[in-house]
Amino acid sequence: MHRTWSDTKAFIPLENNPQILTKYAHSIGLPPSLSFHEVLSLNDPDLLVQIPRPCSALLAIIPGNPTWVASCFAEDSSRDEYAASGPDEPVLWFKQTIRNACGSVGLIHCVANAPEVRRSVIKGSLLDRIIEDAIPLAPPERAELLYQSRGLEDAHMAAARRGDTVAPPAEIEAYGHFVAFVKGVDGRLWELEGGRKGPVGRGVLEEGEDALSERAVALGLGRVIEFLRDEGKEDLGFSVVALGPSGE
């Protein structure tokens, strides 16, 4: 169904808060054995060792940095709209058609595309139904599946109201955007964002390399950091959480 962006429904933006995201994910089907964890550094060994491994995915809020946005447009300009569907896809990608829903789309991208996480999703849960229903659908129909999901809307809005800051009106456009970086079933690092033309493969990771490994960071978020630094920013303005074992 065609809608202009201004006519689409709008969610309250989510905070990239690991406790809020974990409670949200558990409420829709992520098992208690998996959680989101705050990432305080991408290269400090003393801080990285505090994050339970393996890390299946990173979920980052990236500010609307002009250099990074321009690079996304340039990259997409030579690509066709993603049109694949079916169980043989290397990645399950959702186009975002709900304003400020990038947090939920990013969360689903993390869960649906990390093999060990996907296998752990509680059978019959909302997450499980969304993923299973989406697999045979083309991207426009997948987007509509999310758009029409009252369960997803209710769960998202409940999570958004749990934030540490006062929740803004849903009609206010969020400045930052959630982007997922996931090690997929094919061993590649996938950059997944619902506002792009489709999924972006960033390179193959070795068997022992997870989504927070040095190579994965270099292929994924490391590129974004370089774009932010090109703007001369000291405060890079992004936040990152990691999806992995819940730990003790």
Side-chain angles (χ1 to χ4, degrees):
M1 180 178 178
H2 177 73
R3 305 179 184 93
T4 62
W5 190 242
S6 61
D7 291 333
T8 63
K9 73 166 72 172
F11 287 178
I12 296 170
L14 286 176
E15 290 183 14
N16 201 19
N17 177 309
Q19 289 77 32
I20 290 172
L21 290 174
T22 295
K23 187 172 183 177
Y24 173 23
H26 287 167
S27 76
I28 60 175
L30 189 74
S33 58
L34 294 166
S35 298
F36 286 94
H37 307 276
E38 187 174 16
V39 178
L40 297 175
S41 173
L42 294 171
N43 53 27
D44 185 329
D46 292 333
L47 294 174
L48 287 172
V49 75
Q50 300 176 28
I51 300 171
R53 308 292 275 270
C55 169
S56 300
L58 297 179
L59 186 58
I61 285 187
I62 300 174
N65 169 273
T67 305
W68 178 68
V69 171
S71 77
C72 292
F73 276 112
E75 194 170 35
D76 280 354
S77 66
S78 60
R79 304 169 64 213
D80 294 328
E81 290 281 349
Y82 186 72
S85 62
D88 295 330
E89 279 182 284
V91 66
L92 185 65
W93 178 78
F94 292 83
K95 190 169 188 65
Q96 181 188 338
T97 57
I98 305 168
R99 285 183 289 156
N100 296 330
C102 55
S104 284
V105 174
L107 186 154
I108 294 170
H109 278 152
C110 289
V111 173
N113 290 292
E116 65 281 7
V117 178
R118 172 66 189 100
R119 288 191 292 268
S120 301
V121 171
I122 296 170
K123 298 300 182 185
S125 65
L126 178 61
L127 264 176
D128 183 57
R129 296 196 305 272
I130 286 174
I131 294 168
E132 289 300 312
D133 289 348
I135 288 172
L137 301 178
E141 286 71 40
R142 284 180 187 166
E144 191 66 12
L145 176 71
L146 297 188
Y147 197 95
Q148 297 298 339
S149 175
R150 183 57 186 267
L152 182 67
E153 180 174 354
D154 289 346
H156 175 111
M157 297 297 262
R161 293 188 175 99
R162 294 189 196 108
D164 293 331
T165 58
V166 176
E171 291 74 20
I172 298 297
E173 292 291 338
Y175 173 66
H177 204 67
F178 280 88
V179 181
F181 297 88
V182 188
K183 184 176 182 179
V185 68
D186 59 356
R188 279 188 286 179
L189 180 73
W190 289 95
E191 181 178 320
L192 304 168
E193 190 219 318
R196 301 289 298 270
K197 280 189 173 181
V200 182
R202 291 300 182 197
V204 177
L205 300 177
E206 299 296 330
E207 184 175 347
E209 294 177 320
D210 66 8
L212 193 51
S213 65
E214 184 176 352
R215 176 167 167 77
V217 170
L219 291 171
L221 269 176
R223 296 177 61 259
V224 179
I225 291 170
E226 289 305 312
F227 291 130
L228 297 176
R229 285 180 174 156
D230 284 346
E231 293 291 313
K233 294 182 180 295
E234 293 185 9
D235 181 2
L236 299 182
F238 71 91
S239 64
V240 188
V241 294
L243 177 57
S246 293
E248 296 182 2

